[in-house]
Amino acid sequence: PDELKNMDDQEQSHTDSRVAYLDKLIKTYFNTLLDKYQSIDKIPLDEQLDLHYLICNPSSYCETIENLFDLSFLVKEGRVAIKIDKHKILKICATNPPDDVDLTNGIDASQFVFKLTYNDYNIMKQHLLAQEIQTGFIPSRYSSPQSSQKSQ
């Protein structure tokens, strides 16, 4: 039982660090837009971050799912929101997360359900590759066997 608890603690710590890293990447992206627009509320929807570009790792379905999982924590905590633009593209939007006063007044954290099949992933991947995007917004956490063979 103690070994299982230690494994759970390590996995939670690993997830926390991935979520913090994703939060930092997204904040960096939106900070560059803030220089131009001066306010989160003034950033046009078409300049928000495409969800497929954010989460998709064209070389790994597994990492794409992990990225979506990590994003779900940021949505739940109100650090980002998901909206749909006029072209029906899912966008990750900057938000001002609720503070203690908001939470005391009854603003609840929200969650989302997102189904991402392997077929959906392949469509997402092909969309990125058609734009000549070889890597996703989030750098790969693991080197693939192909990339290590190429470097030898």
Side-chain angles (χ1 to χ4, degrees), residues 53-72:
Y53 176 60
L54 175 68
I55 66 166
C56 187
N57 177 333
S59 61
S60 174
Y61 176 64
C62 179
E63 281 193 36
T64 299
I65 296 299
E66 287 177 348
N67 293 341
L68 181 61
F69 178 72
D70 297 342
L71 176 65
S72 71

Side-chain angles (χ1 to χ4, degrees), residues 1-112:
D2 287 340
E3 289 175 4
L4 287 177
K5 184 180 180 329
N6 288 340
M7 286 175 51
D8 286 344
D9 291 344
Q10 287 174 346
E11 186 168 321
Q12 180 63 41
S13 175
H14 182 67
T15 299
D16 290 345
S17 66
R18 283 194 337 251
V19 170
Y21 179 70
L22 178 57
D23 188 37
K24 183 179 175 181
L25 283 175
I26 292 172
K27 282 180 181 174
T28 301
Y29 174 82
F30 284 117
N31 283 339
T32 60
L33 292 177
L34 282 175
D35 291 342
K36 182 177 178 182
Y37 293 103
Q38 307 301 314
S39 167
I40 286 174
D41 300 331
K42 293 181 182 176
I43 301 172
L45 193 55
D46 65 336
E47 288 197 42
Q48 304 283 352
L49 192 55
D50 288 2
L51 179 119
H52 67 273
Y53 176 60
L54 175 68
I55 66 166
C56 187
N57 177 333
S59 61
S60 174
Y61 176 64
C62 179
E63 281 193 36
T64 299
I65 296 299
E66 287 177 348
N67 293 341
L68 181 61
F69 178 72
D70 297 342
L71 176 65
S72 71
F73 287 97
L74 298 180
V75 171
K76 177 183 173 248
E77 294 167 3
R79 296 191 217 172
V80 297
I82 299 175
K83 295 183 180 178
I84 301 173
D85 74 4
K86 64 184 176 186
H87 304 290
K88 303 205 188 268
I89 304 291
L90 294 171
K91 298 286 192 167
I92 302 301
C93 302
T95 61
N96 291 314
D99 59 18
D100 291 339
V101 174
D102 292 331
L103 295 172
T104 324
N105 290 333
I107 292 180
D108 292 327
S110 62
Q111 294 186 13
F112 68 98

